[in-house]
Amino acid sequence: MTVRLRRADPGDLDFLVELLTHEEVEPFLAAIRPRDREGLAAEIARSQAEPQDFGRFVIEVDDGGESRRAGVMGFEVANRRSRIANLGGLAVHPDFRGRHLADDAARLLQRHLIFDLGYHRLQLEIYGFNERAQQHAARAGFVREGIRRKAYRRHGEWVDGVMFGLVREDLERDSEVAHEGRGGA
Ligand SMILES: CC(C)(COP(=O)(O)OP(=O)(O)OC[C@H]1O[C@@H](n2cnc3c(N)ncnc32)[C@H](O)[C@@H]1OP(=O)(O)O)[C@@H](O)C(=O)NCCC(=O)NCCS
């Protein structure tokens, strides 16, 4: 199945509100993240106005020859001098789960941020109870870098934040390995 990423536009607003308030998505996203129309519309506008610093992307798949919205993911500049971006707001709609779409989408986003936009380091944080997202992050090539113990108040208790990161050298090494693999075949 072909997975594509494109910047969200105002026509995606209904899809984003439905997805981010879904009972199988909402409990896993950071409590402070907007999920109302106004907040999401502001994010889309910022993504279009400041493409280097902020992005909200729709994950699309081809389904029977038709392009369908399957999920969302995003980033925000964290440190301009050292070219660090925070990733976040990943969600795949429950109708499209189980096919590892998020892995393909994450790889597309990594390459866009590092090779097109020039970031050097990508980082993200996942609640300790969200094992599925942690497995996804590791499969997509992010390195588990540590834990912020009992950092966040979520669902009535203190929960850990598990930190993942990826640097440009990780992608370059992977490209070299793939290249050598082809050369030797
Ligand atoms: C994290 C997420 C984007 C991954 O989506 P995806 O690419 O479709 O992957 P899936 O959710 O289908 O999960 C893939 C694997 O996890 C397994 N899995 C399913 N439910 C699980 C659970 N509750 N705990 C752990 N693993 C689970 C699946 O069986 C599958 O296993 P496999 O590798 O053996 O095939 C998606 O689950 C999601 O949107 N979750 C809610 C929002 C969220 O957690 N966002 C991340 C915030 S940091």
Side-chain angles (χ1 to χ4, degrees):
M1 180 177 282
T2 312
V3 176
R4 280 188 306 273
L5 276 190
R6 63 165 174 79
R7 286 223 176 224
D9 63 47
D12 297 312
L13 200 47
D14 287 341
F15 169 73
L16 294 184
V17 173
E18 199 243 89
L19 177 62
L20 297 178
T21 53
H22 195 290
E23 62 179 8
E24 290 179 48
V25 172
E26 197 283 334
F28 300 99
L29 297 182
I32 56 166
R33 197 166 276 288
R35 46 281 259 138
D36 59 305
R37 287 188 80 79
E38 201 185 351
L40 292 170
E43 287 198 338
I44 291 172
R46 185 171 174 213
S47 170
Q48 293 185 318
E50 301 172 34
Q52 176 70 32
D53 286 359
F54 189 87
R56 285 292 170 267
F57 296 88
V58 172
I59 305 168
E60 282 187 338
V61 293
D62 285 331
D63 197 11
E66 205 184 319
S67 187
R68 294 186 60 196
R69 298 175 178 105
V72 63
M73 63 204 317
F75 81 93
E76 178 166 14
V77 65
N79 182 320
R80 203 163 274 120
R81 201 186 74 81
S82 293
R83 292 185 271 134
I84 302 173
N86 286 338
L87 308 195
L90 165 67
V92 168
H93 193 284
D95 291 351
F96 292 91
R97 299 250 180 104
R99 308 178 210 174
H100 294 175
L101 288 186
D103 299 7
D104 293 342
R107 288 196 193 93
L108 291 173
L109 186 63
Q110 289 166 2
R111 302 192 80 77
H112 177 55
L113 294 178
I114 287 183
F115 296 125
D116 299 336
L117 298 188
Y119 283 96
H120 176 256
R121 173 181 163 80
L122 313 179
Q123 55 191 25
L124 60 123
E125 193 166 358
I126 300 175
Y127 287 131
F129 60 79
N130 193 354
E131 285 170 18
R132 180 160 40 169
Q134 290 175 52
Q135 285 166 7
H136 144 71
R139 279 197 310 266
F142 294 102
V143 177
R144 195 175 187 272
E145 296 181 326
I147 295 189
R148 282 196 239 243
R149 294 171 308 121
K150 297 192 186 302
Y152 303 104
R153 192 80 191 155
R154 197 71 168 103
H155 310 300
E157 53 187 338
W158 293 108
V159 300
D160 295 342
V162 183
M163 297 182 296
F164 286 84
L166 178 135
V167 293
R168 183 181 173 109
E169 290 82 348
D170 297 333
L171 286 191
E172 288 172 342
R173 196 187 49 232
D174 291 350
S175 306
E176 275 166 28
V177 170
H179 195 69
E180 282 164 16
R182 274 200 302 277

